[in-house]
Amino acid sequence: MSERRTAATVSVIIAAYNAEKYIAHAVDSVLAQSYPCVECIVVDDGSTDGTAEIVKGYGSRVRYLYQQNAERSAARNNGMREARGELISFLDADDLLAPEKLAEQAAFLAEHPEYDVAYSRVSYFNDKDGSSFTPQRRTPSGDIVADLLYGNFITIHSPLIRRDAALRGGGFDPACNRYEDWDFLLRLALAGAKFGFQDRLHAKVRLHPGNTIGDQVKMFEAKLRVAERIAEVYAAELKRRSVDVRGLVAFHQADYGRILVLAGRGAEGRALIREAVRIPFPNRKIFVVFGLAAGLFGSGILVAAQQLYDRVVKGKRAAKGGSA
């Protein structure tokens, strides 16, 4: 008789700060997993509301850890240090996991030992009206560094990660709390982790006024800072991969300039774009045209064009994605 394989334990780490409104929904989505071996860890990042009482109400079904407020990167690292599972998954306190996520991803990793990370699709839903959309993003497998360098297409709730790979990647940077997920995944990939994509919808991201993704200027500034740090720290590895480090940073500088223009800070944004496009990088001509259009017509017409694009494209995505 063949030896029966023991299911690997999955540790789901939820970083929570003043999350009393949503934390029960997040925890319930973890406890409702069809996978049999799940450890749910909530790291309370110094909450001053009722978060602690709600989580402690689950008793032994949830491990509650408290830390003085140090932001979510530190909370996730704390959760990883305390996790007992061979596989790690992350969830924000206002978001949800699909019931089959851990079962399907754990089975995928068991069948594919060549991959260190399994990732899949996520949908976004509006907390106010329930409307939703599922972004159609790049979905490469294997060594994904070349794709990941130019933007994050993996939402942090999506991956299931082998614990040893997560530790090799160095965890989250405690000084980075916007685009910290992209920074973490980039370092994970640059450390040699291989990613495998599953065409499944495995998580739901809640859109509400408290989201950090709501402040686009701060988010894209943070993206540029991450790109600058990666370019500096991993310069030798990027050179080995034939990546133009100056062009990489220039791309993200131009992208930040674009967001500044759309936010009404036209002169500042155009100056960043003009400086960036002196260096060759992918899609450079688009930014050249965008900068010229901003100078000729101002921010208003570009904002209207962006809003039209969002309505049309996201409307199509919502129709494909179905209800949240």
Side-chain angles (χ1 to χ4, degrees), residues 101-118:
K101 177 189 192 290
L102 301 182
E104 292 182 351
Q105 290 186 326
F108 180 85
L109 288 177
E111 294 166 7
H112 297 279
E114 69 273 21
Y115 292 130
D116 303 287
V117 182

Side-chain angles (χ1 to χ4, degrees), residues 28 134 228:
D28 288 344
T134 303
E228 291 172 337

Side-chain angles (χ1 to χ4, degrees), residues 70-110:
E71 299 288 352
R72 61 190 177 193
S73 289
R76 289 168 179 163
N77 287 342
N78 192 8
M80 277 199 290
R81 281 191 293 271
E82 296 293 328
R84 299 165 183 155
E86 302 102 294
L87 303 171
I88 303 290
S89 184
F90 297 99
L91 179 63
D92 283 350
D94 49 358
D95 299 325
L96 306 169
L97 299 183
E100 298 300 321
K101 177 189 192 290
L102 301 182
E104 292 182 351
Q105 290 186 326
F108 180 85
L109 288 177

Side-chain angles (χ1 to χ4, degrees), residues 251-309:
F251 169 84
H252 291 289
Q253 179 180 317
D255 207 24
Y256 177 43
R258 176 182 65 87
I259 292 299
L260 287 175
V261 169
L262 293 175
R265 294 163 61 176
E268 186 180 355
R270 292 197 309 275
L272 282 177
I273 293 171
R274 282 197 303 271
E275 180 183 352
V277 297
R278 294 173 184 169
I279 301 168
F281 60 82
N283 299 317
R284 174 179 171 275
K285 290 182 180 179
I286 294 175
F287 288 100
V288 171
V289 172
F290 182 91
L292 291 173
L296 289 171
F297 306 113
S299 299
I301 193 169
L302 296 175
V303 171
Q306 183 70 52
Q307 290 173 341
L308 177 62
Y309 171 84

Side-chain angles (χ1 to χ4, degrees), residues 25 59 72 83 220 243 248 252 264 303 312:
H25 299 287
R72 61 190 177 193
F220 276 72
V243 174
L248 172 66
H252 291 289
V303 171
V312 172

